[in-house]
Amino acid sequence: MRSFTIVLLLACFHYAYGQQHIVVSKQNYSLAVVENEDTLFKCPIAVGKAYGDKTMRGDIKTPEGTFKIVSIENSSRWKHDFKDGNGIRMGAYGPWFFRLNVPHFSSIGIHGTCKPETIGTRDNEGCIRLHNRDLVALKPFVRIGITCIIEKDKSDD
């Protein structure tokens, strides 16, 4: 009984004090992995072209709120046409796609890019875009169920 109590206490301690999560700042174009008060990883990002919270398909906004990673997908062969006159691009999402459980929007996630020059800008359709090298460095921190907090955007006044 005593060993069960110790294991239970350790599990509660880890859950309360050792929980890693991802924090996305749309204002600062940054993503961080945080545990307690410590930043374990940080990198620059690109976000949706429009300011504010995502409310409808095609509004080119990055959602705001607290979400979970629901899948980790190999996206190295995925294609996309950015409607920029360059046609369909292979590897558009980089090597990985970390899908978020955003209500009503199943295609929102954290992923890499074939357009590294866009990092640090508002240049996408609503996902969180990273340099591919940063995505690879982020992957060891990511697991199914990890929390991702996307902070509110600044006002577009």
Side-chain angles (χ1 to χ4, degrees), residues 2-122:
R2 181 181 171 122
S3 61
F4 173 76
T5 303
I6 292 170
V7 169
L8 184 61
L9 286 172
L10 287 173
C12 290
F13 177 82
H14 175 73
Y15 180 77
Y17 297 102
Q19 200 71 18
Q20 292 178 2
H21 57 280
I22 298 168
V23 178
V24 173
S25 171
K26 296 195 303 184
Q27 291 185 48
N28 297 324
Y29 304 108
S30 68
L31 177 149
V33 176
V34 177
E35 182 173 34
N36 301 327
E37 300 294 320
D38 299 323
T39 299
L40 306 177
F41 174 83
K42 188 171 184 178
C43 68
I45 61 170
V47 296
K49 292 178 184 176
Y51 288 90
D53 191 11
K54 186 159 203 64
T55 57
M56 59 188 292
R57 185 174 171 85
D59 67 5
I60 59 175
K61 296 177 182 180
T62 298
E64 299 170 350
T66 302
F67 310 103
K68 300 275 187 191
I69 300 286
V70 293
S71 65
I72 299 170
E73 303 169 37
N74 181 335
S75 58
S76 58
R77 296 186 179 195
W78 292 7
K79 307 173 202 176
H80 187 70
D81 185 349
F82 293 96
K83 309 289 187 225
D84 59 2
N86 293 320
I88 296 173
R89 295 188 190 186
M90 285 294 296
Y93 298 91
W96 299 102
F97 188 92
F98 308 139
R99 193 171 303 278
L100 295 168
N101 69 332
V102 180
H104 313 293
F105 305 103
S106 63
S107 61
I108 299 293
I110 300 168
H111 60 78
T113 186
C114 65
K115 297 170 60 177
E117 69 279 3
T118 66
I119 302 302
T121 69
R122 291 184 167 275

